[in-house]
Amino acid sequence: MDDYQRKPGQKQSRVRAMLKILLLLVTTNVTTAYFFSSPSSSVKWTDYAPRFPLWDTDALLRELNSTHDKLAAARQQIDELNIRLQTSNYLMEELTTEFRKPRQPVEVADDLSTSLSGELKLVVEAHKLPLGRSGNVGSEELFPVLGSACRRHQRDLEQYMTYEVGGQCPVDDVFAQRLMLQGCEPLPRRRCKPKTPKGYIEPSPLPDSLWSIPPDSSIIWEPYTCKNYGCLVNRNKMPGFFDCKDCFDLGGREKDRWMFEIANLGYSIDQVLATKPQGTVRIGLDLGGGSGTFAARMRERNITIVTTTMNFDGPFNSFIASRGLIPLHISISQRLPFFDNTLDIIHSMHVISNWIPDTMLEFALFDIYRVLRPGGLFWLDHFFCIGSQLNATYVPMFDRIGFKKLRWNTGRKVDRGAELNEWYFSALLEKPMT
Ligand SMILES: *[C@@H]1O[C@H](CO)[C@@H](O)[C@H](O)[C@H]1NC(C)=O
Ligand SMILES: *[C@@H]1O[C@H](CO)[C@@H](O)[C@H](O)[C@H]1NC(C)=O
Ligand SMILES: *[C@@H]1O[C@H](CO)[C@@H](O)[C@H](O)[C@H]1NC(C)=O
């Protein structure tokens, strides 16, 4: 906060911004409250009690008709309330973000203390190279790799590096992944062994493995809410799951994904491959590829795809591997571990969207451009945003990066109400040859 108080001008404008948002919030909520309490919307059960003899069918029909109308009106009011509630939530999020902002410069300045010990000290400090072996390194010392934001989480790092050397690692996948998502990526290496599943069974041979659900005994279920694959397959019917809800159900919606062109936003693999000479799309990447179905479909076409995925309340990485495909446990923030001008195709569905802060998104898109070979394809599948962001932010951003647009489609997302002005765009982009 010290740093923050030294900038009164900036502080005033922040306070003004916060006040504006607060005012908006209050206005929205007052409107909602008025809406709830206004006589037209209050429900009295006596309104619906019949006031006529039950054998009077005409009256009964009229009453039914009027009840029907009232129900329709009530439904519409509920929909409107929902939209107001969503707007409130959105403003609340904005407000929270606004409150968090001033703390950032202070946090960035945080660093690991100089008195580290044990395993943590070993993975942070430089290590002397043998004499005469500094040629390729360009330094007398070798530094272990560690995500820069790890330095802001010393206590968590200490916990992460606490284990018996040579023994079994703690089952701390969820904790470790959260550290990664907070920028401590890559995590430091450890000298312990992951717990192995008790009843591990050899995977099914290819190509059967591509569409088989592996035995439950082949992974550690401890970190997850679901304790077997049957539960994961059905998790689209359970509350509280948000990521990739039905993608473990290989016999369900997964079976048809990317097999057909759907409206204007869903491209099919075969249509996309047809834009390049036969056989020239051979290797690539699916960013945030869920359970690996895109890679499976490409594998059936003799194309090798690496799938990045996080384990969001499900063993995504283990599942992809059991299908005989390559999982890569990195987040969207990480520099892609491929060399410049190498990959034939990069695909990403629903993951690259407006939740990524603009600056980070632009760096990520330049990184995608970097690893694609000249003539390589970037298939951006269902990028989600608000209508105003589309032309104001994203179209100019993609223009700046300089992909050639082979296909570009926009479509409104209306399932939560048209007033929210939510959009998707899908694009097939090509890195120029020169
Ligand atoms: C109920 O509504 C339907 C269609 O809106 C109409 O055809 C019918 O005559 C109405 N019945 C009565 C009893 O008002
Ligand atoms: C994939 O490669 C195998 C072995 O070379 C070949 O027999 C098969 O026809 C290929 N499949 C496709 C879809 O190209
Ligand atoms: C974006 O701009 C295009 C072209 O000017 C226009 O047709 C389209 O309606 C705009 N889209 C949105 C969501 O505002």
Side-chain angles (χ1 to χ4, degrees):
M1 283 314 265
D2 282 349
D3 187 47
Y4 172 44
Q5 273 158 5
R6 260 178 253 133
K7 294 176 188 145
Q10 191 193 353
K11 185 184 177 182
Q12 266 173 18
S13 71
R14 280 218 196 295
V15 168
R16 224 176 293 134
M18 279 186 226
L19 279 178
K20 242 186 269 169
I21 295 171
L22 256 180
L23 191 67
L24 266 173
L25 250 182
V26 170
T27 323
T28 326
N29 287 334
V30 166
T31 323
T32 310
Y34 170 77
F35 212 53
F36 261 117
S37 57
S38 67
S40 70
S41 66
S42 63
V43 178
K44 279 197 240 107
W45 291 111
T46 47
D47 287 355
Y48 297 98
R51 276 172 248 99
F52 46 82
L54 283 176
W55 54 85
D56 182 350
T57 45
D58 267 357
L60 195 58
L61 270 178
R62 270 200 308 279
E63 193 64 18
L64 264 178
N65 270 11
S66 101
T67 309
H68 179 266
D69 289 349
K70 279 180 194 161
L71 272 176
R75 218 204 129 84
Q76 195 189 346
Q77 286 180 349
I78 287 172
D79 286 348
E80 281 170 33
L81 280 174
N82 258 331
I83 289 166
R84 273 164 214 276
L85 209 59
Q86 274 159 3
T87 317
S88 283
N89 280 346
Y90 173 72
L91 288 172
M92 205 62 190
E93 273 167 30
E94 290 276 288
L95 193 61
T96 326
T97 322
E98 195 65 28
F99 270 118
R100 281 208 199 106
K101 271 182 192 163
R103 292 173 50 223
Q104 275 174 0
V106 181
E107 281 182 313
V108 168
D110 281 354
D111 208 343
L112 293 174
S113 84
T114 45
S115 56
L116 299 173
S117 62
E119 293 289 282
L120 181 55
K121 183 177 162 78
L122 297 180
V123 294
V124 168
E125 288 188 347
H127 298 267
K128 272 241 161 317
L129 283 166
L131 272 180
R133 299 302 294 274
S134 59
N136 287 337
V137 183
S139 154
E140 304 290 312
E141 296 167 322
L142 211 50
F143 282 87
V145 168
L146 190 66
S148 71
C150 292
R151 299 179 181 283
R152 296 167 46 178
H153 300 281
Q154 179 162 346
R155 209 164 306 152
D156 286 347
L157 264 188
E158 277 163 4
Q159 182 184 332
Y160 183 71
M161 295 308 291
T162 303
Y163 49 81
E164 182 200 335
V165 174
Q168 184 182 296
C169 301
V171 180
D172 56 3
D173 315 34
V174 173
F175 170 72
Q177 183 171 281
R178 199 171 51 234
L179 262 177
M180 285 170 68
L181 290 169
Q182 290 172 358
C184 185
E185 188 184 24
L187 284 166
R189 283 177 169 155
R190 301 199 283 196
R191 293 194 288 175
C192 57
K193 301 171 189 168
K195 186 172 172 180
T196 45
K198 273 206 179 63
Y200 189 83
I201 296 169
E202 297 264 356
S204 313
L206 275 168
D208 289 353
S209 65
L210 289 179
W211 295 98
S212 315
I213 307 273
D216 289 337
S217 60
S218 62
I219 68 154
I220 310 278
W221 290 95
E222 252 162 272
Y224 308 112
T225 312
C226 272
K227 301 296 177 203
N228 55 59
Y229 281 112
C231 166
L232 283 171
V233 167
N234 288 307
R235 71 184 202 154
N236 58 329
K237 297 173 200 113
M238 295 158 57
F241 288 107
F242 302 106
D243 290 286
C244 216
K245 276 165 86 86
D246 47 9
C247 66
F248 285 95
D249 183 7
L250 298 185
R253 223 170 113 194
E254 285 300 278
K255 203 96 209 174
D256 286 339
R257 278 196 212 280
W258 307 292
M259 297 301 278
F260 315 100
E261 295 273 314
I262 301 167
N264 58 340
L265 292 168
Y267 306 164
S268 76
I269 285 177
D270 290 324
Q271 288 294 319
V272 167
L273 294 180
T275 61
K276 303 301 290 183
Q278 172 100 38
T280 60
V281 176
R282 307 147 306 150
I283 51 172
L285 176 68
D286 190 20
L287 277 170
S291 59
T293 295
F294 182 80
R297 286 301 184 199
M298 295 295 264
R299 165 89 211 205
E300 290 166 348
R301 289 159 177 77
N302 289 336
I303 299 166
T304 306
I305 296 287
V306 172
T307 307
T308 75
T309 188
M310 299 303 278
N311 288 349
F312 282 124
D313 209 9
F316 288 89
N317 280 270
S318 310
F319 191 80
I320 292 171
S322 79
R323 295 177 83 177
L325 305 164
I326 307 169
L328 193 61
H329 190 216
I330 60 169
S331 84
I332 201 76
S333 310
Q334 171 106 334
R335 182 181 194 262
L336 295 172
F338 302 100
F339 194 62
D340 306 354
N341 298 317
T342 50
L343 302 185
D344 299 317
I345 188 167
I346 296 182
H347 169 260
S348 185
M349 184 183 200
H350 282 306
V351 172
I352 299 185
S353 279
N354 72 343
W355 69 271
I356 304 176
D358 293 350
T359 310
M360 284 188 76
L361 177 64
E362 190 160 335
F363 274 90
L365 294 175
F366 269 102
D367 202 28
I368 287 169
Y369 189 97
R370 174 184 68 81
V371 300
L372 279 174
R373 67 166 169 83
L377 296 174
F378 177 31
W379 174 358
L380 186 60
D381 200 346
H382 285 81
F383 185 114
F384 171 82
C385 66
I386 306 299
S388 54
Q389 297 177 314
L390 186 58
N391 284 339
T393 306
Y394 298 119
V395 170
M397 191 184 287
F398 279 89
D399 287 346
R400 272 201 297 282
I401 290 155
F403 287 110
K404 197 168 126 195
K405 285 179 186 162
L406 302 186
R407 295 175 74 173
W408 180 277
N409 299 91
T410 55
R412 227 182 156 123
K413 181 177 190 285
V414 288
D415 55 350
R416 301 200 304 158
E419 276 178 56
L420 291 176
N421 194 22
E422 295 176 326
W423 288 73
Y424 279 125
F425 62 97
S426 286
L428 185 61
L429 306 167
E430 191 185 54
K431 176 161 166 171
M433 293 296 284
T434 49

